[in-house]
Structure formats: structure tokens, C-alpha cells
Amino acid sequence: MNTFTIKSLSDRSLLLQWNDIDSVGVHQEVMAVHQSLMENPFPGFIESVPTYTSIAVYYDAIKIRESHDSAKEFVAEQIRKISLTKSQNQVGSLFTIPVRYGGIDGPDLEDVAKKNGITPEELVRLHTATEYRVYMIGFMPGFPYLGFTHEKLWTQRKSTPRLKVPAGSVGLAGNQTGIYPFSSPGGWQLIGRTTTCLFEPDRKKPCLLQTGDRVKFIAAI
Amino acid sequence: MKVLKPGILSTIQDAGRYGYRASGIGPGGVMDDFAFAVLNHLLGNDPQEAVIEMHFPATEFLFEEEAVFAITGGDFDARLNDLSIQCWKTVHANPGDILRFNSMRKGYRVYFSVKGGFYSENWLGSYSTDLKVQKGGYHGRALKKEDVLTLKNKEPNIQFIKKETPISLLEKIYDSSVIHCIAGPEFDRLTSESKAQLLSVPLTIDIQANRMGYRLQQETLFLSEPEEEMLSSAVCMGTVQLTPQGELIILMADHQITGGYPRVLTVISADLPKLAQHKPGEQISFKLITDTEAEEKYSSFYQMIHNRSADEKTY
């Protein structure tokens, strides 16, 4: 079992940091804390943001100080009480996402394949072979950071980001893959595009994917 | 009320949209918490009532109904029918009156609202405008010419209570360029020279200073162990990031939820309004305090805003 350190992120939020080796095991602990806080929020809890190897916990310091001398100490104490054994029982939902690979939908696919010494077909095969885990949502509403890709897919971000990446674009950066819910400037290498809607603001739960969910890509005809 | 001239960026904002960070939806909300709270207090509005945040050039409004209003935040030389009006003070307006802002005298953004507030769109529990998603506030966007704002107050004769905020209180909040911070999660990765520099040298706010973040011009700073890419992690308003090029960015209200840059400092909540009223070309300096001190200052700041009936004067 890993342990985490607790630091202030601000005067009304804390950061729990696991040792910086990203792995499913660490992330399961991150998710255990996140889920525990959602299910049994301490008085003054606002929200938490799980990422690869850390979780930020945001709280109402003023409210907590009505009954405690230090909001930070109170929150840290509540966090230390959380049992991490829940990690065994987590199973996020599985989503299958159809992607049109290459061509105008994936303008960087050929380059990435070439740099990595594989064919474009092999790249698609490898990208669709892995069941990815959603490690975090960030950068923009609904943008999932999915890990981790096969070695042969590893790539740098583009040195000059595109001014406009079309909505639904599927990209690669480092050892991650992701999907742009909105059209936006972006530096990920684009290998395809999906019509699956990742973010619908009028839905009760606007974001399709949540941290801890699983994603499998399939090549659309 | 009608918008005669839109202004460069005027949006409806409230205290922010909380509970959705894990979906990548940031809180947004007002840049200057203090001006927001005082505005609602002066008008006798609900403390959560949404207001209009404006930059310069600001919006020109035509009052189509009688109203009581106030302006807080910066000083943009407000005029009602060309007569100079004071900020931080309730003012009465008649139908046909025109409110405009002639010059940027002090500060970087102003807040405007009326007694009773305006109708606007609620998205996920907040009326703040999310410009990326285009939801909340005034149809999810900045104000445009010909836009009409509907006042909630339907009373035929508005009770006009004259109130104004004492200058001594404003001086306490705004009159300094020292920005107190706590050490960020990656503060200790700075070289000792860089730490010393960061905490002593005045830093000029770059022209790229907006609702997303404030860039600072300064000498390059260094990490003692630079990493190629840090794993993305959560941030907040006030987080001071250090880019690979050695530049500093202070994240503000419309920041992204996560970032991949080292977080070297975090501006304390009590000093965010002051920072929000500094503008490009102006200088600030960082002062490091402890987590405990920061929380105490936040508490005092909050008391100052909310337990102010003794402070406020009638005129």
C-alpha cells in the first residue's frame, strides 16, 4: 500500500500527493479517497479532483473554523481517517468509442506511425487493443486523460499547437490518449475523430466519462 | 436596461460554480470577491446575487425603468447622464438615464448591479458565465449591443437607501502591491537563488493578464531538478505556475482545472481582490507566509466583508 503526503494547495484546499510513480494501484487509492469523500463528505467539504497520483480537496474554511481552530488541520485529520481498502471494489463503467482513424480525421497518424517505426494500420491496431483507464478529467470540460498507451504509440506533443482542433478529435501525447470534447487550440497528435458526444451541458451529468471509467476505442468503418 | 455599447468584456458573474471540477468545469465567477460582496451588501441584495463584471472599455447602459444601482471595484470614471458619480455608493436612476464609463482611472475591472438584481441563466447551480461551454449568465456570452437585461425588482417605488463604503476599508483591501502567498506544492524544487529572487524582486504584470491568468514579466527562474513533463495535477485560482521557459503565470477565475506546470506559490484568498485590480504594466511583489497565517488572513478578510454593518455609513 502506498502512502501520500498532505500539503496545502491554497488556504482553502489541500493536496494529497502519492509518490510520483503513476500506476493503476496508486490511482485506485486516489479514487478510493475521492469516492469516500463523495459518499461521506466531512462538514465543509466542497469537492475533490482526482488526478494520476494526487487528489485536491477543496473545502469551506470559514464554515469549518466555526467549530475548529484550524480548517486545514481538521480536513487533514478527516482525510487520514479514510480507509484505502475500498480500492479493491472499484469498477468504473466501460465505454466503447468508435473512431474514424487517419485521413482528415487523424492528420498526425502517419507521422506518428513513421516516427515510431510502425505502419498506420499497426498504430490503429495498437490503439484499439488496450482498454484505457480514465485517470482524470481536466484541461477543458469533459476532456479525459486516458492511460496508458502501448510503447509504440508514445509521442511528444506537437511543438507548435494547432490553433483549432475539431471537436471529437482523438489524440496522443506522452503515454496518454485523449479526446477533445470541444473545438479548441491543442497540442496533442491527432490520430482520429469520434462522433460520440463527450460533453452535453444540458444533461444532468454533462460529462460522459468520469475518473475511474474505462474506454475502448474501435475503428469505425 | 438596454446595452447601448457592449464594452470589451462584460459578463454576468456570481461567486462561482462549485462541485463540477472533477468534470473539468471550473468555478469561474467574479475576479474580485470583495467588490462583489460589498456591491450586494450596499444594494441590500442576496449575497449570492449575480452581478455584471466589466472591463475597460465598459458597457454603456440605458435605464428603461427606475432603479437603484451601485458600482464597485475599480474606478472607470462613471457618469450618469454625464454627471460624475461615485463608486462604492448607492445611486438612484430614472428611466432614460444613461450610465457610461469615461476613463480607466484605477483598477482593472468594475462591478455593477441594481437593487433586486437581474434575471439570467442558471447552469449547474450558478449564474456565472462559462464562456467556453457558453452556458450561464447572459445566454452564456459577453454582453452585446442591443442586449436587454430584465430587472427582477418590480416595485413601482423603489426604496432608495443611501449607503456608501468607507474609504478606510477600501484602503485596507486594495492599497498595496504586496501579494501574500503560501508555498506551492513544488516550491521546494526552485533553486535557492530563484526562491530568493521570486520573493524580493518586483514583478511587472504582462499585457497578457485576463480572467484566465496573469502572466508576469521577470528574470527567468529555475527549478533545481527540471522535469521534462510533470504529471498533470489540480490547481486553483491563485496558483502561481512556472513554465518550462521560466515564466510565471498566476491562475485566475477562468483557469483550467488541472495543469502540468510546477506550482511554486499560491496567492492567498484575502489578496486575490487586490491582485484582480492590478493591471498590465503595474508591479507586484510576493511575500511568503505560513499556511496558518494565510488561513487567519482569510478568516479576517471574510469577517471584514460580512460583518460590516458597523462599518457602512449612510450619506
Side-chain angles (χ1 to χ4, degrees), chain A residues 40-121:
Chain A
N40 295 305
F42 55 81
F45 172 73
I46 297 175
E47 58 190 320
S48 50
V49 176
T51 64
Y52 289 96
T53 58
S54 68
I55 178 168
V57 179
Y58 302 85
Y59 51 88
D60 183 343
I62 303 299
K63 179 172 176 197
I64 295 170
R65 284 175 69 96
E66 283 168 11
S67 335
H68 305 273
D69 284 337
S70 163
K72 180 189 173 182
E73 289 313 317
F74 171 75
V75 176
E77 219 179 279
Q78 303 313 302
I79 287 169
R80 282 186 208 109
K81 288 184 194 162
I82 294 173
S83 157
L84 297 180
T85 55
K86 281 188 85 130
S87 38
Q88 275 72 48
N89 301 326
Q90 289 163 34
V91 178
S93 308
L94 174 65
F95 292 86
T96 306
I97 301 203
V99 180
R100 288 188 314 268
Y101 284 97
I104 46 162
D105 293 313
D108 300 316
L109 191 148
E110 287 202 14
D111 275 345
V112 175
K114 196 165 175 191
K115 265 202 187 122
N116 290 6
I118 55 174
T119 64
E121 292 76 26

Coordinates of all heavy atoms in Angstrom, one line a residue, chain A residues 40-121:
Chain A
N40 N -19.2 10.1 1.9 CA -19.2 10.6 3.2 C -18.5 11.9 3.4 O -17.4 11.9 4.0 CB -18.6 9.6 4.2 CG -19.4 8.3 4.2 OD1 -20.6 8.3 4.5 ND2 -18.7 7.2 3.9
P41 N -19.0 13.0 2.9 CA -18.3 14.2 2.9 C -18.2 14.8 4.3 O -19.2 14.7 5.1 CB -19.2 15.2 2.1 CG -20.5 14.6 2.0 CD -20.4 13.1 2.2
F42 N -17.1 15.3 4.7 CA -17.0 15.9 6.1 C -17.7 17.2 6.0 O -17.8 17.8 4.9 CB -15.5 16.0 6.5 CG -14.6 16.8 5.5 CD1 -14.6 18.2 5.4 CD2 -13.8 16.1 4.6 CE1 -13.8 18.8 4.5 CE2 -13.0 16.7 3.7 CZ -13.0 18.1 3.6
P43 N -18.1 17.8 7.1 CA -18.8 19.1 7.1 C -17.8 20.1 6.6 O -16.7 20.3 7.0 CB -19.1 19.4 8.6 CG -18.8 18.1 9.3 CD -18.0 17.2 8.5
G44 N -18.3 20.9 5.5 CA -17.4 21.9 4.9 C -16.7 21.4 3.6 O -16.1 22.2 2.9
F45 N -16.9 20.1 3.3 CA -16.3 19.6 2.1 C -17.0 20.2 0.9 O -18.3 20.3 0.9 CB -16.5 18.1 2.0 CG -16.1 17.4 0.7 CD1 -14.8 17.3 0.3 CD2 -17.1 16.9 -0.2 CE1 -14.4 16.7 -0.9 CE2 -16.7 16.3 -1.4 CZ -15.4 16.2 -1.7
I46 N -16.3 20.6 -0.1 CA -16.9 21.2 -1.3 C -16.8 20.2 -2.5 O -17.8 19.8 -3.1 CB -16.3 22.6 -1.7 CG1 -16.6 23.6 -0.6 CG2 -16.9 23.0 -3.1 CD1 -15.9 24.9 -0.9
E47 N -15.6 19.8 -2.8 CA -15.4 18.9 -3.9 C -13.9 18.4 -3.9 O -13.1 19.0 -3.2 CB -15.7 19.5 -5.2 CG -14.9 20.8 -5.6 CD -15.5 21.5 -6.8 OE1 -15.8 20.8 -7.8 OE2 -15.5 22.7 -6.8
S48 N -13.7 17.3 -4.7 CA -12.3 16.9 -4.8 C -12.0 16.6 -6.3 O -12.9 16.3 -7.1 CB -12.0 15.6 -4.0 OG -13.0 14.7 -4.1
V49 N -10.8 16.7 -6.7 CA -10.3 16.4 -8.0 C -9.2 15.4 -8.1 O -8.1 15.7 -7.6 CB -9.8 17.7 -8.7 CG1 -9.3 17.5 -10.1 CG2 -10.9 18.8 -8.7
P50 N -9.6 14.2 -8.5 CA -8.6 13.1 -8.6 C -7.7 13.3 -9.9 O -8.3 13.6 -10.9 CB -9.4 11.8 -8.6 CG -10.7 12.2 -9.2 CD -10.9 13.7 -9.0
T51 N -6.4 13.0 -9.8 CA -5.6 13.1 -11.0 C -4.7 11.8 -10.9 O -5.1 10.9 -10.2 CB -4.7 14.3 -11.0 OG1 -3.8 14.3 -9.9 CG2 -5.6 15.6 -11.0
Y52 N -3.7 11.7 -11.7 CA -2.9 10.5 -11.8 C -2.4 10.0 -10.4 O -2.6 8.9 -10.0 CB -1.7 10.7 -12.7 CG -2.0 10.8 -14.1 CD1 -2.1 12.0 -14.7 CD2 -2.1 9.6 -14.9 CE1 -2.4 12.1 -16.1 CE2 -2.4 9.7 -16.2 CZ -2.6 11.0 -16.8 OH -2.9 11.1 -18.2
T53 N -1.7 10.9 -9.7 CA -1.0 10.5 -8.5 C -1.3 11.4 -7.4 O -0.6 11.5 -6.4 CB 0.5 10.4 -8.7 OG1 1.0 11.7 -9.1 CG2 0.9 9.4 -9.7
S54 N -2.4 12.2 -7.5 CA -2.7 13.2 -6.5 C -4.2 13.4 -6.4 O -5.0 13.0 -7.4 CB -2.0 14.5 -6.7 OG -2.5 15.1 -7.8
I55 N -4.7 14.0 -5.4 CA -6.1 14.5 -5.3 C -6.1 15.8 -4.6 O -5.5 15.9 -3.5 CB -7.0 13.4 -4.7 CG1 -8.4 13.9 -4.6 CG2 -6.5 12.9 -3.4 CD1 -9.5 12.8 -4.3
A56 N -6.8 16.7 -5.1 CA -7.0 18.0 -4.5 C -8.4 18.0 -3.8 O -9.4 17.6 -4.3 CB -7.0 19.2 -5.5
V57 N -8.4 18.5 -2.5 CA -9.6 18.5 -1.8 C -9.9 20.0 -1.4 O -9.1 20.7 -0.7 CB -9.5 17.7 -0.4 CG1 -10.8 17.8 0.4 CG2 -9.1 16.3 -0.8
Y58 N -11.1 20.5 -1.9 CA -11.5 21.9 -1.7 C -12.5 21.9 -0.6 O -13.5 21.1 -0.6 CB -12.0 22.4 -3.0 CG -11.1 22.4 -4.2 CD1 -11.0 21.2 -4.9 CD2 -10.3 23.5 -4.5 CE1 -10.1 21.1 -6.0 CE2 -9.4 23.4 -5.6 CZ -9.3 22.2 -6.3 OH -8.4 22.1 -7.3
Y59 N -12.4 22.9 0.3 CA -13.3 22.9 1.5 C -13.6 24.4 1.9 O -12.9 25.3 1.5 CB -12.7 22.2 2.7 CG -11.3 22.7 3.0 CD1 -11.1 23.7 3.9 CD2 -10.2 22.0 2.5 CE1 -9.8 24.1 4.2 CE2 -8.9 22.4 2.8 CZ -8.7 23.5 3.6 OH -7.4 23.9 3.9
D60 N -14.7 24.5 2.6 CA -15.2 25.8 3.1 C -14.5 26.1 4.4 O -15.0 25.7 5.5 CB -16.7 25.8 3.3 CG -17.3 27.1 3.7 OD1 -16.5 28.0 4.2 OD2 -18.5 27.3 3.5
A61 N -13.4 26.8 4.3 CA -12.5 27.0 5.5 C -13.3 27.9 6.6 O -13.1 27.6 7.8 CB -11.2 27.7 5.1
I62 N -14.1 28.8 6.1 CA -14.8 29.7 7.1 C -15.8 28.8 7.9 O -15.9 29.0 9.1 CB -15.6 30.8 6.3 CG1 -14.6 31.6 5.5 CG2 -16.4 31.6 7.2 CD1 -13.5 32.3 6.3
K63 N -16.6 28.0 7.2 CA -17.5 27.2 7.9 C -16.9 26.2 8.9 O -17.3 26.1 10.0 CB -18.3 26.3 6.9 CG -19.4 25.4 7.5 CD -20.2 24.8 6.5 CE -21.2 23.8 7.2 NZ -21.8 22.9 6.3
I64 N -15.8 25.6 8.5 CA -15.1 24.7 9.4 C -14.5 25.4 10.6 O -14.5 24.9 11.7 CB -14.0 24.0 8.6 CG1 -14.6 23.1 7.5 CG2 -13.1 23.1 9.6 CD1 -13.6 22.5 6.5
R65 N -14.0 26.6 10.4 CA -13.5 27.4 11.5 C -14.5 27.8 12.5 O -14.1 28.3 13.6 CB -12.7 28.6 11.0 CG -11.4 28.3 10.4 CD -10.8 29.5 9.7 NE -10.4 30.5 10.8 CZ -9.1 30.6 11.2 NH1 -8.2 29.8 10.8 NH2 -8.9 31.5 12.1
E66 N -15.8 27.7 12.2 CA -16.8 28.0 13.2 C -16.7 27.0 14.4 O -17.1 27.3 15.5 CB -18.2 27.9 12.6 CG -18.5 29.1 11.7 CD -19.8 29.0 10.9 OE1 -20.5 28.0 11.1 OE2 -20.0 29.8 10.0
S67 N -16.2 25.8 14.1 CA -16.1 24.8 15.1 C -14.7 24.3 15.4 O -14.5 23.5 16.3 CB -17.0 23.6 14.8 OG -18.1 23.9 14.0
H68 N -13.8 24.7 14.6 CA -12.4 24.2 14.8 C -11.4 25.4 14.6 O -11.6 26.3 13.8 CB -12.1 23.1 13.7 CG -13.1 22.0 13.8 ND1 -12.9 20.9 14.6 CD2 -14.2 21.8 13.1 CE1 -14.0 20.1 14.4 NE2 -14.8 20.6 13.5
D69 N -10.3 25.3 15.3 CA -9.3 26.3 15.3 C -8.6 26.4 13.9 O -8.3 27.5 13.4 CB -8.2 26.1 16.3 CG -8.6 26.4 17.7 OD1 -9.6 27.2 17.8 OD2 -8.1 25.9 18.7
S70 N -8.3 25.3 13.3 CA -7.7 25.2 12.0 C -8.4 24.4 11.0 O -8.6 23.2 11.3 CB -6.2 24.7 12.2 OG -5.7 24.3 10.9
A71 N -8.9 25.0 10.0 CA -9.6 24.2 9.0 C -8.7 23.2 8.3 O -9.1 22.1 8.1 CB -10.2 25.2 7.9
K72 N -7.5 23.6 8.0 CA -6.5 22.7 7.4 C -6.3 21.5 8.2 O -6.3 20.4 7.7 CB -5.2 23.5 7.2 CG -4.2 22.6 6.5 CD -2.8 23.2 6.5 CE -1.8 22.1 6.0 NZ -0.4 22.6 5.9
E73 N -6.1 21.7 9.5 CA -5.8 20.5 10.4 C -7.0 19.6 10.5 O -6.9 18.4 10.5 CB -5.4 21.0 11.8 CG -4.0 21.6 11.9 CD -3.0 20.8 11.2 OE1 -3.0 19.5 11.3 OE2 -2.2 21.4 10.5
F74 N -8.2 20.2 10.6 CA -9.4 19.4 10.6 C -9.6 18.5 9.4 O -9.9 17.3 9.5 CB -10.6 20.3 10.8 CG -12.0 19.6 10.7 CD1 -12.4 18.8 11.7 CD2 -12.7 19.7 9.5 CE1 -13.7 18.1 11.6 CE2 -13.9 19.0 9.4 CZ -14.4 18.2 10.4
V75 N -9.4 19.2 8.2 CA -9.6 18.4 7.0 C -8.5 17.3 6.8 O -8.8 16.2 6.5 CB -9.5 19.4 5.8 CG1 -9.6 18.6 4.5 CG2 -10.7 20.4 5.8
A76 N -7.3 17.6 7.2 CA -6.2 16.7 7.1 C -6.5 15.4 8.0 O -6.3 14.3 7.6 CB -4.9 17.3 7.5
E77 N -7.1 15.7 9.2 CA -7.4 14.7 10.1 C -8.5 13.8 9.5 O -8.5 12.5 9.6 CB -8.0 15.3 11.3 CG -7.7 14.7 12.6 CD -8.3 15.5 13.8 OE1 -7.7 16.6 14.1 OE2 -9.4 15.1 14.2
Q78 N -9.5 14.4 8.8 CA -10.6 13.6 8.2 C -10.1 12.7 7.1 O -10.5 11.6 7.0 CB -11.7 14.5 7.6 CG -12.3 15.5 8.6 CD -12.7 14.9 9.9 OE1 -13.5 13.9 9.9 NE2 -12.2 15.4 11.0
I79 N -9.1 13.3 6.4 CA -8.6 12.5 5.3 C -7.8 11.3 5.8 O -7.9 10.2 5.2 CB -7.7 13.5 4.4 CG1 -8.6 14.4 3.6 CG2 -6.8 12.7 3.5 CD1 -7.9 15.5 2.9
R80 N -7.0 11.5 6.8 CA -6.2 10.4 7.4 C -7.1 9.3 7.9 O -6.6 8.1 7.9 CB -5.3 10.9 8.5 CG -4.1 11.6 8.0 CD -3.1 12.0 9.1 NE -2.4 13.2 8.7 CZ -2.5 14.4 9.3 NH1 -3.4 14.6 10.2 NH2 -1.8 15.4 8.8
K81 N -8.3 9.6 8.2 CA -9.2 8.5 8.7 C -9.8 7.6 7.6 O -10.3 6.6 7.8 CB -10.4 9.1 9.4 CG -10.1 9.7 10.8 CD -11.4 10.2 11.4 CE -11.1 11.2 12.6 NZ -12.3 12.0 13.0
I82 N -9.6 8.1 6.3 CA -10.2 7.4 5.2 C -9.5 6.0 5.0 O -8.3 6.0 4.9 CB -10.2 8.2 3.9 CG1 -11.1 9.4 4.1 CG2 -10.7 7.4 2.7 CD1 -11.0 10.4 2.9
S83 N -10.3 5.0 4.9 CA -9.7 3.7 4.7 C -9.4 3.6 3.2 O -10.3 3.9 2.4 CB -10.7 2.6 5.1 OG -10.5 1.4 4.4
L84 N -8.3 3.0 2.8 CA -8.0 2.9 1.4 C -8.3 1.5 0.9 O -8.0 1.2 -0.2 CB -6.5 3.2 1.2 CG -6.0 4.6 1.5 CD1 -4.5 4.8 1.2 CD2 -6.8 5.6 0.7
T85 N -8.9 0.7 1.7 CA -9.2 -0.7 1.3 C -10.3 -0.7 0.3 O -10.6 -1.8 -0.3 CB -9.5 -1.6 2.5 OG1 -10.6 -1.0 3.2 CG2 -8.3 -1.7 3.4
K86 N -11.0 0.4 0.1 CA -12.1 0.4 -0.9 C -11.6 0.1 -2.3 O -12.3 -0.2 -3.2 CB -12.8 1.7 -0.9 CG -13.8 1.9 0.2 CD -14.6 3.1 0.1 CE -15.8 2.9 -0.8 NZ -17.1 3.3 -0.3
S87 N -10.3 0.4 -2.5 CA -9.7 0.3 -3.8 C -10.0 -1.0 -4.5 O -10.0 -1.1 -5.7 CB -8.2 0.6 -3.8 OG -7.6 0.0 -2.7
Q88 N -10.2 -2.1 -3.8 CA -10.4 -3.4 -4.4 C -11.8 -3.4 -5.1 O -12.0 -4.2 -6.0 CB -10.4 -4.5 -3.3 CG -9.0 -5.0 -3.0 CD -8.2 -4.0 -2.3 OE1 -8.6 -3.5 -1.3 NE2 -7.0 -3.8 -2.7
N89 N -12.7 -2.6 -4.6 CA -14.1 -2.8 -5.2 C -14.5 -1.8 -6.2 O -15.6 -1.7 -6.5 CB -15.1 -2.7 -4.0 CG -14.8 -3.7 -2.9 OD1 -14.4 -4.8 -3.3 ND2 -15.1 -3.4 -1.7
Q90 N -13.5 -1.1 -6.8 CA -13.9 -0.2 -7.8 C -13.9 -0.7 -9.2 O -13.0 -1.4 -9.6 CB -12.8 1.0 -7.9 CG -12.8 1.9 -6.7 CD -11.5 2.6 -6.7 OE1 -11.0 2.9 -7.8 NE2 -11.0 2.9 -5.6
V91 N -15.0 -0.5 -9.9 CA -15.1 -0.9 -11.3 C -15.8 0.2 -12.0 O -17.0 0.4 -11.8 CB -15.8 -2.2 -11.5 CG1 -15.8 -2.5 -13.0 CG2 -15.1 -3.4 -10.8
G92 N -15.1 1.0 -12.7 CA -15.8 2.1 -13.4 C -16.6 1.5 -14.6 O -16.4 0.3 -14.9
S93 N -17.4 2.3 -15.3 CA -18.2 1.9 -16.4 C -17.3 1.8 -17.6 O -16.3 2.5 -17.8 CB -19.3 2.8 -16.7 OG -20.1 3.1 -15.6
L94 N -17.6 0.8 -18.5 CA -16.8 0.7 -19.8 C -17.6 1.4 -20.9 O -18.7 1.2 -21.1 CB -16.7 -0.8 -20.1 CG -16.0 -1.1 -21.4 CD1 -14.5 -0.7 -21.4 CD2 -16.0 -2.6 -21.7
F95 N -16.8 2.2 -21.7 CA -17.4 2.9 -22.8 C -16.7 2.5 -24.1 O -15.4 2.5 -24.1 CB -17.3 4.4 -22.6 CG -18.1 4.9 -21.5 CD1 -17.7 5.0 -20.2 CD2 -19.4 5.4 -21.8 CE1 -18.5 5.4 -19.2 CE2 -20.2 5.9 -20.8 CZ -19.7 5.9 -19.5
T96 N -17.4 2.2 -25.1 CA -16.8 1.8 -26.4 C -17.0 3.0 -27.3 O -18.1 3.5 -27.5 CB -17.5 0.6 -27.0 OG1 -17.5 -0.4 -26.0 CG2 -16.8 0.1 -28.2
I97 N -15.9 3.5 -27.8 CA -15.9 4.7 -28.6 C -15.4 4.5 -30.0 O -14.3 4.1 -30.3 CB -15.1 5.8 -27.9 CG1 -15.6 6.0 -26.5 CG2 -15.0 7.1 -28.7 CD1 -15.3 7.3 -25.8
P98 N -16.3 4.6 -31.0 CA -15.9 4.4 -32.4 C -15.2 5.6 -32.9 O -15.5 6.8 -32.6 CB -17.3 4.3 -33.1 CG -18.3 5.0 -32.2 CD -17.7 5.0 -30.9
V99 N -14.1 5.3 -33.7 CA -13.2 6.4 -34.2 C -13.0 6.2 -35.6 O -12.7 5.1 -36.1 CB -11.9 6.4 -33.4 CG1 -10.9 7.4 -33.9 CG2 -12.1 6.5 -31.9
R100 N -13.0 7.3 -36.4 CA -12.6 7.3 -37.8 C -11.1 7.6 -37.8 O -10.8 8.8 -37.4 CB -13.4 8.3 -38.6 CG -14.8 7.9 -38.9 CD -15.5 8.8 -39.9 NE -15.2 10.2 -39.7 CZ -16.0 11.0 -39.0 NH1 -17.1 10.5 -38.4 NH2 -15.7 12.3 -38.8
Y101 N -10.3 6.7 -38.1 CA -8.8 6.9 -38.0 C -8.2 7.5 -39.2 O -8.6 7.1 -40.3 CB -8.1 5.6 -37.6 CG -8.2 5.2 -36.2 CD1 -9.2 4.3 -35.8 CD2 -7.4 5.7 -35.2 CE1 -9.4 3.9 -34.5 CE2 -7.6 5.4 -33.8 CZ -8.5 4.4 -33.5 OH -8.7 4.1 -32.2
G102 N -7.2 8.3 -39.1 CA -6.4 8.8 -40.2 C -7.2 9.8 -41.2 O -8.2 10.3 -40.8
G103 N -6.5 10.0 -42.3 CA -7.1 11.0 -43.3 C -7.3 12.3 -42.6 O -6.5 12.8 -41.8
I104 N -8.4 13.1 -43.0 CA -8.5 14.4 -42.4 C -8.9 14.3 -41.0 O -8.8 15.3 -40.2 CB -9.6 15.2 -43.2 CG1 -10.9 14.4 -43.5 CG2 -9.0 15.8 -44.5 CD1 -12.1 15.3 -43.8
D105 N -9.4 13.1 -40.5 CA -9.8 13.0 -39.1 C -8.6 12.8 -38.2 O -8.7 13.1 -37.0 CB -10.8 11.8 -39.0 CG -12.1 12.1 -39.7 OD1 -12.7 13.2 -39.5 OD2 -12.6 11.2 -40.4
G106 N -7.5 12.3 -38.8 CA -6.3 12.0 -38.0 C -5.1 12.5 -38.7 O -4.3 11.7 -39.2
P107 N -4.9 13.8 -38.9 CA -3.8 14.3 -39.7 C -2.4 14.0 -39.2 O -1.5 14.1 -40.0 CB -4.1 15.9 -39.6 CG -5.0 16.1 -38.5 CD -5.8 14.9 -38.3
D108 N -2.3 13.6 -37.9 CA -0.9 13.2 -37.5 C -0.6 11.7 -37.4 O 0.5 11.3 -37.0 CB -0.7 13.8 -36.0 CG -0.9 15.3 -36.0 OD1 -0.4 16.0 -36.9 OD2 -1.6 15.8 -35.1
L109 N -1.6 10.9 -37.8 CA -1.5 9.5 -37.6 C -0.2 8.9 -38.4 O 0.6 8.2 -37.8 CB -2.7 8.8 -38.1 CG -2.8 7.3 -37.7 CD1 -4.3 6.9 -37.5 CD2 -2.3 6.4 -38.8
E110 N -0.1 9.3 -39.6 CA 1.0 8.8 -40.4 C 2.4 9.2 -39.9 O 3.3 8.4 -39.8 CB 0.9 9.3 -41.9 CG -0.2 8.6 -42.6 CD -0.1 8.6 -44.1 OE1 1.0 8.9 -44.6 OE2 -1.1 8.3 -44.8
D111 N 2.5 10.5 -39.5 CA 3.7 11.0 -38.9 C 4.2 10.2 -37.7 O 5.3 9.8 -37.5 CB 3.6 12.5 -38.5 CG 3.9 13.3 -39.7 OD1 4.5 12.8 -40.7 OD2 3.6 14.5 -39.7
V112 N 3.2 10.0 -36.8 CA 3.5 9.4 -35.5 C 3.9 7.9 -35.8 O 4.9 7.4 -35.2 CB 2.3 9.4 -34.5 CG1 2.6 8.6 -33.3 CG2 1.9 10.8 -34.2
A113 N 3.2 7.3 -36.7 CA 3.5 5.9 -37.0 C 4.9 5.8 -37.6 O 5.7 4.9 -37.2 CB 2.5 5.3 -38.0
K114 N 5.2 6.7 -38.5 CA 6.5 6.7 -39.1 C 7.6 6.9 -38.1 O 8.6 6.1 -38.1 CB 6.6 7.8 -40.1 CG 7.7 7.8 -41.1 CD 7.4 8.7 -42.3 CE 8.6 8.8 -43.3 NZ 8.5 9.9 -44.2
K115 N 7.5 7.9 -37.2 CA 8.5 8.2 -36.2 C 8.7 7.0 -35.3 O 9.8 6.8 -34.8 CB 8.0 9.4 -35.3 CG 8.5 10.7 -35.8 CD 8.5 11.7 -34.6 CE 8.9 13.1 -35.1 NZ 7.9 14.1 -34.9
N116 N 7.6 6.2 -35.1 CA 7.7 5.1 -34.1 C 8.1 3.8 -34.8 O 8.1 2.7 -34.2 CB 6.4 5.0 -33.3 CG 6.3 6.1 -32.3 OD1 7.1 7.1 -32.3 ND2 5.3 6.1 -31.5
G117 N 8.3 3.9 -36.2 CA 8.7 2.7 -36.9 C 7.6 1.6 -37.1 O 7.9 0.4 -37.1
I118 N 6.4 2.1 -37.1 CA 5.3 1.1 -37.4 C 4.4 1.6 -38.5 O 4.5 2.8 -38.9 CB 4.4 0.9 -36.1 CG1 3.8 2.2 -35.6 CG2 5.2 0.1 -35.0 CD1 2.9 2.1 -34.5
T119 N 3.6 0.8 -39.0 CA 2.6 1.2 -40.1 C 1.4 1.9 -39.5 O 1.1 1.6 -38.3 CB 2.1 0.0 -40.9 OG1 1.4 -0.8 -40.1 CG2 3.3 -0.8 -41.5
P120 N 0.7 2.7 -40.2 CA -0.5 3.3 -39.7 C -1.5 2.3 -39.2 O -2.2 2.4 -38.2 CB -1.1 4.1 -40.9 CG 0.1 4.4 -41.7 CD 1.1 3.3 -41.5
E121 N -1.6 1.2 -40.0 CA -2.5 0.1 -39.6 C -2.2 -0.5 -38.2 O -3.0 -0.8 -37.4 CB -2.5 -1.0 -40.6 CG -3.1 -0.7 -42.0 CD -2.2 0.2 -42.8 OE1 -0.9 0.1 -42.6 OE2 -2.7 1.0 -43.7

